[in-house]
Amino acid sequence: MRDTTSQNGDGPSFVELFTPKFVTVLREGYSLAHLRADAIAGLTVAIVALPLSMAIAIASGATPAQGLYTAIVGGFLVSLLGGSRFQIGGPAGAFIVLVAATVAQHGMDGLILATFLSGLMFVAAGYLRLGTFIKFVPFPVTVGFTAGIAVIIAASQIKDLLGFSLDHEPGELLEKVPALWDARATWTPAAVGVSLATVALILGVRKLRPNWPNMLIAVTAGAAATALLNLPVETIGTRFGGIPSSLPWPELPTFTLEKILAVLPAAVSFTLLGAIESLLSAVVADGMTGRRHRSNCELVAQGAANIGAALFGGFCVTGTIARTATNVRSGAHGPVAGMLHAAFLLLFMLVAAPLAAYIPLAALAGVLVVVAWNMIEKPAIAVLLRSGWGEAILLAATFSLTIFVGLTEAIVVGFALGSAIFIQRMSRATAVATHTPFVGRDRADTAAPRPPYDEDAATNPDVVVYRITGALFFGATASIGSVLDRIQDSYKVLIVDFSAVPFLDSSGANMIEGLAHKAHKSGVALWLTGANRDMRRAFLRHGLKKPLVRYASTADAAILAARKEASTGTGFA
């Protein structure tokens, strides 16, 4: 058995930090079987990304062609240069609010310039090694602003869902709702029917045939019905004149000092939200596969992708959680899958561009409503509301600020509020021990019963004990989690001792939950020891119970219990 404490050794070199995963995969050896797996995964993701890219672009105030440009150019560069083996880049629903506001305020040229500047900021953040700091955002903040974004996306689709005739739709939710209410008499029965049928078809196919591309099937069916029945609904063709069948020539955005200063706040917002979204997506992929991404290399790749997308007339690129998860579930071997996903999208655009003109906007609105619903992390919200007043306040504040103020303000205020709550809780958790002298008194061997020293348990190569010292809160989860991930790879029993942890927040509990799922998937027995009553409550609220984890009062008790399980054939050998 080895006893490991948290300590910083020599870090990786510059080359190791910024070597793309594409290079790593090629070094490992890339076979025809790997290419076949990546091709299947890439085609699957492209089928999912095709309707989503156009729907997100339209909801953002851009054209469907710009959504495809973003997915093709940005998606290819994210996979080619990224630090995540499975990341899929492209336009994301989380950016709809910011992009729409930027277009309304600065025009399309302002959006493209802000995207270009954001790319430069991404590259700078990566090379300054700021990727680790992005992980310090508290878990309730990420859940809150994701739910808030989902509400805003759903509200932005009401006009097309119901087929309203509205000359000007305000961007702010408080102004949008009265405008939509005033236009309620202009609803179109055909649009309502198409949108409801789209949602029903997506949900029905997902339930009956979960491996089929439900969104593409629903959008295709909507387009076929619109064309064959000549339905009186707005389509991509009637609003945008269709989409081109080729990529445009790359072109630098127009630079003026005045314009740069005007769009700089939008570029900062794109960078902040994009960094959080892309690194969260990479963490999700790590949890599904047991791999570890290079966060700073990923930021550099996101920067190159945003610069590339802007050159081709696209907009913000980030890692997308749903498409990345689809990539993993489809059996992708590495970044080639993401590169092929971009190639397949380009092929679709070259071959099927004329057919896109028949796609009804009501169908794309139905797709985005389903996406918005899926973005809301319902189980996580329930856990946080049960975790205590601090998590509930942080969640509610971030959610409200996202809807009524702005995403950047929500993240900044959420982080500051989370820090204040942490300080308040730590002040209560700190106490002075009145009967513990600085130097302990000598005690006789017979003063208290002691367990005998067990050489076999102390040197067992299959068991490792990790003792965490200090508060396990959102600021420490990234470093502690990465160490625990590395430790669990080589052992059959991982014991994490919390006897020296005075406080644990929801971010820490969420990190342990992720570790437990990965350990269970790898056949590693995870024991949690020394946790006080409040910590156990937090763990149980996050679903940390058998068979995911086992509990013991001390590390020694866990070792003895693990050895007993081994002797009966239910534990490590």
Side-chain angles (χ1 to χ4, degrees):
M1 180 200 74
R2 298 182 184 179
D3 191 348
T4 308
T5 56
S6 54
Q7 56 187 4
N8 293 325
D10 294 333
S13 67
F14 180 87
V15 173
E16 292 171 330
L17 276 175
F18 294 101
T19 299
K21 287 288 185 175
F22 175 63
V23 176
T24 302
V25 169
L26 294 182
R27 285 174 178 170
E28 294 172 353
Y30 196 75
S31 67
L32 186 60
H34 295 151
L35 177 60
R36 188 182 301 111
D38 282 338
I40 293 172
L43 178 60
T44 304
V45 177
I47 290 172
V48 173
L50 182 64
L52 270 180
S53 300
M54 292 189 290
I56 290 170
I58 294 171
S60 302
T63 66
Q66 287 178 288
L68 292 175
Y69 301 158
T70 303
I72 292 168
V73 178
F76 184 84
L77 291 175
V78 164
S79 296
L80 176 66
L81 304 175
S84 173
R85 193 175 183 118
F86 303 99
Q87 184 85 281
I88 299 294
F95 280 87
I96 288 176
V97 182
L98 288 176
V99 173
T102 304
V103 172
Q105 189 173 358
H106 304 290
M108 190 56 65
D109 59 336
L111 170 63
I112 294 173
L113 177 59
T115 301
F116 188 90
L117 295 176
S118 175
L120 297 178
M121 294 176 188
F122 266 115
V123 173
Y127 283 128
L128 290 172
R129 306 187 184 187
L130 301 180
T132 303
F133 295 98
I134 302 297
K135 302 174 185 177
F136 290 173
V137 178
F139 180 57
V141 173
T142 62
V143 174
F145 85 73
T146 302
I149 290 169
V151 171
I152 295 174
I153 291 173
S156 71
Q157 298 308 299
I158 293 176
K159 174 179 176 290
D160 288 331
L161 279 171
L162 304 179
F164 285 167
S165 296
L166 195 61
D167 294 332
H168 172 68
E169 183 179 3
E172 298 294 330
L173 187 64
L174 292 178
E175 299 175 6
K176 183 193 297 288
V177 172
L180 291 172
W181 179 254
D182 291 340
R184 66 188 183 278
T186 64
W187 72 285
T188 307
V192 175
V194 169
S195 58
L196 289 177
T198 299
V199 173
L201 193 54
I202 290 173
L203 299 180
V205 173
R206 178 188 297 172
K207 183 175 182 180
L208 299 176
R209 293 290 186 270
N211 295 325
W212 289 11
N214 49 61
M215 291 183 181
L216 184 63
I217 290 173
V219 170
T220 303
T226 301
L228 294 175
L229 302 177
N230 196 24
L231 296 178
V233 296
E234 198 170 14
T235 64
I236 286 180
T238 59
R239 183 181 292 186
F240 301 102
I243 62 173
S245 57
S246 63
L247 285 174
W249 287 102
E251 181 181 354
L252 279 171
T254 304
F255 289 95
T256 65
L257 181 59
E258 181 182 3
K259 195 70 172 177
I260 289 174
L261 293 177
V263 303
L264 199 58
V268 172
S269 298
F270 291 165
T271 306
L272 179 60
L273 181 58
I276 294 173
E277 183 84 1
S278 61
L279 294 183
L280 281 177
S281 177
V283 169
V284 169
D286 289 351
M288 296 177 68
T289 62
R291 300 281 179 168
R292 282 184 293 275
H293 73 282
R294 301 178 184 125
S295 57
N296 294 299
C297 180
E298 184 63 24
L299 290 184
V300 173
Q302 297 290 336
N306 277 276
I307 293 171
L311 293 177
F312 283 87
F315 54 95
C316 313
V317 179
T318 187
T320 55
I321 295 176
R323 275 160 272 176
T324 298
T326 301
N327 189 39
V328 174
R329 293 192 192 102
S330 300
H333 176 73
V336 175
M339 297 160 66
L340 289 175
H341 131 269
F344 283 124
L345 282 176
L346 177 60
L347 182 62
F348 292 157
M349 191 174 73
L350 296 177
V351 174
L355 301 178
Y358 296 101
I359 296 176
L361 299 184
L364 294 179
V367 167
L368 283 182
V369 167
V370 174
V371 170
W373 176 255
N374 293 336
M375 284 176 65
I376 301 175
E377 301 176 60
K378 279 79 72 178
I381 291 174
V383 168
L384 289 172
L385 292 177
R386 295 195 302 266
S387 296
W389 64 268
E391 281 76 11
I393 289 176
L394 190 53
L395 176 68
T398 308
F399 176 77
S400 302
L401 286 169
T402 300
I403 292 177
F404 300 114
V405 181
L407 301 182
T408 305
E409 293 86 347
I411 294 171
V412 172
V413 173
F415 182 83
L417 185 59
S419 301
I421 292 172
F422 165 71
I423 293 171
Q424 188 272 341
R425 286 178 170 174
M426 280 301 299
S427 68
R428 291 189 306 161
T430 303
V432 178
T434 56
H435 299 293
T436 304
F438 185 71
V439 178
R441 291 190 291 269
D442 289 339
R443 302 179 68 185
D445 288 343
T446 57
R450 296 183 177 184
Y453 177 73
D454 190 332
E455 297 89 346
D456 293 336
T459 59
N460 194 315
D462 291 328
V463 183
V464 62
V465 177
Y466 189 93
R467 291 187 170 91
I468 301 176
T469 301
L472 184 55
F473 70 113
F474 62 86
T477 53
S479 57
I480 296 294
S482 64
V483 173
L484 289 174
D485 280 346
R486 289 195 297 272
I487 288 174
Q488 72 144 6
D489 291 343
S490 307
Y491 300 92
K492 294 182 180 178
V493 176
L494 171 60
I495 299 171
V496 184
D497 184 52
F498 293 88
S499 57
V501 177
F503 167 73
L504 173 140
D505 70 358
S506 57
S507 297
N510 185 65
M511 183 270 291
I512 298 297
E513 180 191 359
L515 172 71
H517 284 288
K518 281 189 272 189
H520 185 67
K521 184 178 179 181
S522 303
V524 177
L526 176 62
W527 288 78
L528 306 182
T529 66
N532 59 35
R533 191 181 344 175
D534 291 337
M535 289 182 198
R536 283 211 182 193
R537 283 202 198 103
F539 288 147
L540 291 174
R541 279 194 294 263
H542 281 76
L544 289 169
K545 52 190 176 183
K546 285 187 176 182
L548 280 180
V549 298
R550 301 165 175 82
Y551 291 93
S553 57
T554 66
D556 289 336
I559 293 171
L560 293 175
R563 292 184 66 192
K564 185 177 180 181
E565 287 186 358
S567 65
T568 60
T570 60
F572 67 91

